[in-house]
Amino acid sequence: MRLVDRLIRRDGYWEGMASGAAILTTSYGSPDREPVMPQLTGWAQRANGSNAPVFAAVLVRMALFSEVTFQFQAKDDKHLFGNPALAKLEQPFGPGSTTQQLLARMEQDVSLAGNAFIWDAPAPGPLVRLRPDWTTIISEVIAVDGGWYRQPAGYWFEPPRGATAGEQPPGFFIPADEVAHWAPVPDPQADFRGMSWLTPVMRDIQGDDGLSVYKIKYLSNNASPNLLIKYAQKLQPGTVDSIRERMQARYGGPDNAFKTLVLDQGADATVIGNSLAQMNFDGVQSAGAERILAAANVPAVLVGLEPLRGAGRGYQESMQKFSNIYARPQWRSACATLAKLTDVPAGNRLWFDTSDVAALQDGEMERGQTVLVKSQAVLALNQAAKYDPDSIIAAVNSGDLTQLKPLPEPPPLTALPGKPVQHMLPQAQPGATAEPLPSSMPRIPVGSTSPGDGGNGTRPGPRPASARRSLNGAGHD
């Protein structure tokens, strides 16, 4: 009857009144409508508000995802730049709003409902977030030669009955061109609808909630195992009730924990049930939390459920894994979705800038070191002067040295038809070609070049060999 009720929209009924099992096990009747499961969304919202691992995972994802800023990236050399066309994404919800608010809302909707709908309202309106559980995807059949396919035609937005104060506003249709629909995890049972990462861990979340309830009940029950009190004689029903009430009043609850238990009239107390230590409570609850975080792609060390190792190295490795596996694919997908809401210059694409994200600075340093090593390789290959510059860049970026191409040989210098070869210096026949100076031109006097006369022409004249011998032999008898 649930499916019939949904189709005929019985008075006083809406899908939020159905059970989660009914929503998950029945079809939606019309293939051209794909509503987000309202009951699953409501359950996810309750889990986010009451389950600590779920809240921590959503909060960490939302905190990192909302840190980036939008830029345009050139497709040829990958440089980033901005222009006034990004103003719509920098103040998406009007003056005072920020890009971080837009990204936080998108990540929150995707985590809890699997879909995020951002409507570019007609001018001068801002961007509008459409609640996923109030939005239905409308598709149409497109006939082609030999077959057909479906594509989104628009979105029907309608709050359920009683969801808004005052008179119920009517639903309305929004064309597909005006809505950026982001669904990073596709629903295998739908063509266009996304799926929340909480869907496969529903049982784990229920188990974690059950353990929390068990712990609370355990503390309320005197923070000790259950007791079985036996009497040798048969007791009247009224006596049994009276003993139970007195036991609860005197020894029940955490305020009465560890008090001495005193029994009379031959009563015998026997411990039944397991304590928290006997049932390995911490291990069982940690296993459920780890499965929840695994579905969220969040390392346990980032939410404080795992101690740091190696002087913080565990944090750096976990953050790098988290950013590479979760954040960067999400940013790339979100940019592709939001690009339809802004005027992207030709030859470029909407992209994200992580330079101001403090959590990724270690990764940015590693990438900077990589750029430095590549630059040194380019410099060394250029200094070799043997390879084409374009092939050097291609080889360094790809790591494939086989892409290096040698420089082509320069063409020989040949004269054009009817024109002599032009050289930089005038050519002359071999041999001396200088003409002597005329006799009328006086020569420039050249002074002594000996360092002994100081350049004043007083250099001593030559002496005969006999005089030099006499000087050398003086004083040696």
Side-chain angles (χ1 to χ4, degrees):
M1 293 300 294
R2 299 291 188 186
L3 179 59
V4 175
D5 288 340
R6 283 199 298 275
L7 293 178
I8 65 177
R9 299 187 66 83
R10 180 177 298 175
D11 185 33
Y13 172 85
W14 59 286
E15 284 191 326
M17 297 173 60
S19 67
I23 293 294
L24 294 175
T25 58
T26 59
S27 64
Y28 285 91
S30 177
D32 63 339
R33 289 176 172 264
E34 292 183 7
V36 175
M37 300 177 181
Q39 210 59 26
L40 179 60
T41 303
W43 169 83
Q45 292 173 350
R46 288 192 297 272
N48 181 59
S50 61
N51 187 276
V54 171
F55 175 79
V58 174
L59 183 62
V60 170
R61 286 165 57 104
M62 188 167 54
L64 179 60
F65 184 77
S66 62
E67 275 289 281
V68 298
T69 56
F70 289 116
Q71 293 284 310
F72 291 124
Q73 185 187 61
K75 294 182 179 180
D76 49 4
D77 58 3
K78 309 300 181 184
H79 77 275
L80 300 177
F81 66 96
N83 63 30
L86 292 171
K88 183 177 293 187
L89 300 180
E90 293 171 350
Q91 293 185 339
F93 304 131
S97 62
T98 63
T99 300
Q100 284 65 40
Q101 292 175 344
L102 171 64
L103 293 176
R105 275 296 192 179
M106 292 177 64
E107 168 56 36
Q108 189 179 55
D109 287 345
V110 163
S111 290
L112 301 182
N115 301 264
F117 302 96
I118 305 299
W119 175 32
D120 188 6
L127 298 182
V128 179
R129 172 217 174 217
L130 303 177
R131 278 191 55 164
D133 50 342
W134 296 357
T135 306
T136 300
I137 307 170
I138 308 298
S139 62
E140 61 180 346
V141 175
I142 304 299
V144 296
D145 293 340
W148 56 272
Y149 65 91
R150 285 191 172 275
Q151 73 174 10
Y155 303 86
W156 181 263
F157 181 79
E158 182 178 6
R161 296 185 179 181
T164 58
E167 185 178 355
Q168 176 71 23
F172 57 94
F173 177 81
I174 307 173
D177 295 339
E178 299 180 5
V179 177
H181 175 205
W182 186 43
V185 180
D187 189 338
Q189 297 182 353
D191 293 329
F192 312 107
R193 186 178 60 228
M195 184 181 73
S196 168
W197 62 265
L198 292 170
T199 303
V201 290
M202 289 179 62
R203 293 182 181 274
D204 295 280
I205 295 174
Q206 292 172 350
D208 189 81
D209 290 341
L211 288 174
S212 299
V213 173
Y214 179 89
K215 181 172 59 176
I216 294 173
K217 290 294 184 182
Y218 181 84
L219 295 175
S220 299
N221 250 346
N222 200 16
S224 64
N226 298 328
L227 291 178
L228 174 63
I229 301 176
K230 297 183 296 183
Y231 286 87
Q233 67 276 15
K234 181 178 177 62
L235 301 179
Q236 296 296 326
T239 305
V240 173
D241 294 339
S242 175
I243 293 175
R244 181 186 301 111
E245 292 174 359
R246 284 184 295 170
M247 287 290 297
Q248 181 63 29
R250 293 181 181 180
Y251 305 107
D255 294 336
N256 296 321
F258 310 110
K259 288 185 177 179
T260 302
L261 178 63
V262 179
L263 301 175
D264 58 358
Q265 298 181 0
D268 182 17
T270 303
V271 177
I272 60 174
N274 294 326
S275 66
L276 294 180
Q278 291 172 331
M279 68 173 296
N280 191 17
F281 185 86
D282 291 340
V284 174
Q285 193 168 34
S286 298
E290 290 176 357
R291 293 168 67 89
I292 295 173
L293 296 178
N297 274 331
V298 176
V301 68
L302 299 184
V303 296
L305 295 182
E306 182 178 315
L308 293 177
R309 305 182 307 275
R313 185 60 186 172
Y315 169 81
Q316 297 174 2
E317 295 174 350
S318 298
M319 180 57 69
Q320 184 176 7
K321 173 185 175 182
F322 183 48
S323 62
N324 292 339
I325 295 179
Y326 157 74
R328 296 187 184 277
Q330 294 284 90
W331 286 325
R332 180 189 295 263
S333 175
C335 287
T337 301
L338 295 174
K340 66 188 300 183
L341 304 183
T342 185
D343 296 328
V344 181
N348 301 277
R349 60 181 175 181
L350 183 64
W351 207 242
F352 54 92
D353 184 7
T354 61
S355 59
D356 293 333
V357 182
L360 303 183
Q361 292 308 309
D362 292 330
E364 294 294 333
M365 182 177 297
E366 293 180 0
R367 278 187 290 275
Q369 293 173 349
T370 301
V371 172
L372 176 61
V373 172
K374 289 184 176 181
S375 300
Q376 293 172 346
V378 171
L379 178 61
L381 292 173
N382 274 324
Q383 289 177 345
K386 295 181 179 180
Y387 304 106
D388 180 69
D390 293 335
S391 69
I392 292 176
I393 296 177
V396 171
N397 286 333
S398 63
D400 183 10
L401 296 181
T402 60
Q403 297 190 24
L404 290 173
K405 298 179 181 179
L407 285 172
E409 293 292 337
L413 295 175
T414 58
L416 297 176
K419 293 185 178 181
V421 178
Q422 180 67 35
H423 297 278
M424 296 298 295
L425 297 176
Q427 301 298 310
Q429 295 297 325
T433 57
E435 298 179 357
L437 293 175
S439 58
S440 60
M441 180 177 294
R443 292 183 177 274
I444 300 177
V446 179
S448 173
T449 59
S450 173
D453 63 3
N456 56 4
T458 61
R459 180 179 182 181
R463 291 183 180 183
S466 59
R468 291 198 300 272
R469 282 195 297 271
S470 62
L471 290 175
N472 291 335
H476 298 279
D477 295 336

